[in-house]
Amino acid sequence: PDAGKVVDRIITRDVSKMTVGQVYYTPWCDDDGKVIDDGTVARLGETRFRMTAADPNLRWLLEHARGLNAAVEDVSEQVAALALQGPTAARLLAAVSDLPVGDLKYFRAASGTIAGVPVEVTRTGYTGDLGYELWMPWDQALTVWDAIVEAGRAFVLRPAGMLALDVARVEAGLLLTDVDFMSSRKASIDLQAYTPYELGLGRLVRLDKAAPFVGRAALHREHAAGHRRQVVGLEVRWSDVEAIYRSVGLPPSVPAAASRVAVPVYKGRQQVGKATSTAWSPTLKKLVAL
């Protein structure tokens, strides 16, 4: 019964405003207001939540569940996840499942079946496109995969891996931990740790929510004083890139894969930041970076 209180203690968003079937994208912070991780929280029932994270966070959850009537369970080995993303995703999902796809709004969850396998679907994803994430028992995941691939022939379905996903998430301006920012637990120096405001996630911090949460006092101070740096999007002028290639007698070229190598960004002769992720955007036909 106290599951909601546990989640409210940790995340920066207001769980009291969360309805059953709703999904939050949210960061969670340490006492200094620095981001430990980010992920999704789905409210699957009045007293049941599923939380996803990039790194293991079980110990952090258990520490903040002390004294409350709630159970925390790591289901990483029992649940398989599959992302179905792109403009034909909704029609394909409707064709292969009994899920209420047409009624499923952005950042909402629903339950149904695919090929007889119970599946939970969330209208979420890491591509910036129309998409869904499917959650199912790990030992029945191949059945779901096969059914989607078979039905997907009529919807131009293509399996895609991390290289494709990296380009899509840079286009969408979605951050990747250990690349665009570092968890405060891994930071060696203060400058490596970021607050939600510095990551451009200030809209996800509810300082006015009734329940106290970890890092609230520090974030209050930062909100009042303002933050001194922020992750932003960069657009590289391609005509300038072409001119550099021409000056040394080479044809211009960009790799198909996104780069995760940090590159200094200068204003004049002074370094003002670093480009952490850089990719040629097939959608925008531009070289973009975070």
Side-chain angles (χ1 to χ4, degrees), residues 88-192:
T88 64
R91 284 181 285 148
L92 170 52
L93 191 58
V96 79
S97 74
D98 59 4
L99 292 156
V101 178
D103 299 327
L104 194 59
K105 296 180 180 179
Y106 195 40
F107 272 83
R108 293 295 190 276
S111 298
T113 61
I114 295 177
V117 178
V119 172
E120 287 170 338
V121 60
T122 54
R123 191 174 163 185
T124 54
Y126 198 44
T127 63
D129 208 331
L130 168 68
Y132 304 86
E133 289 176 306
L134 311 175
W135 313 83
M136 68 217 78
W138 72 270
D139 55 352
Q140 295 176 281
L142 286 178
T143 301
V144 174
W145 169 273
D146 289 342
I148 289 175
V149 169
E150 181 60 33
R153 298 178 194 277
F155 297 93
V156 204
L157 181 71
R158 295 287 184 272
M162 272 306 302
L163 294 180
L165 183 62
D166 231 9
V167 172
R169 65 100 187 164
V170 174
E171 284 187 320
L174 302 175
L175 306 182
L176 180 61
T177 185
D178 294 337
V179 176
D180 301 308
F181 72 97
M182 186 175 288
S183 167
S184 65
R185 290 189 299 201
K186 298 178 181 178
S188 303
I189 57 175
D190 288 342
L191 282 174
Q192 290 177 325

Side-chain angles (χ1 to χ4, degrees), residues 12 28-35 184 193-198 205-207 212-228:
T12 60
W28 48 98
C29 303
D30 60 19
D31 288 326
D32 296 321
K34 305 294 186 179
V35 173
S184 65
Y194 289 80
T195 69
Y197 296 113
E198 292 173 332
V205 179
R206 297 309 307 263
L207 296 172
F213 62 92
V214 182
R216 182 181 194 168
L219 293 174
H220 246 303
R221 291 192 296 270
E222 184 182 15
H223 183 260
H227 49 285
R228 56 195 175 84

Side-chain angles (χ1 to χ4, degrees), residues 20-101:
V20 174
Q22 190 171 1
V23 184
Y24 276 176
Y25 166 59
T26 180
W28 48 98
C29 303
D30 60 19
D31 288 326
D32 296 321
K34 305 294 186 179
V35 173
I36 292 176
D37 209 340
D38 67 332
T40 61
V41 177
R43 187 163 200 164
L44 303 177
E46 282 296 335
T47 61
R48 179 172 168 248
F49 297 80
R50 181 184 59 237
M51 198 167 177
T52 70
D55 289 326
N57 278 259
L58 179 61
R59 183 177 177 182
W60 188 252
L61 287 163
L62 290 171
E63 285 177 358
H64 291 89
R66 282 184 187 160
L68 294 175
N69 187 9
V72 181
E73 183 183 3
D74 182 359
V75 296
S76 303
E77 300 301 321
Q78 288 110 55
V79 176
L82 178 66
L84 183 64
Q85 304 282 304
T88 64
R91 284 181 285 148
L92 170 52
L93 191 58
V96 79
S97 74
D98 59 4
L99 292 156
V101 178

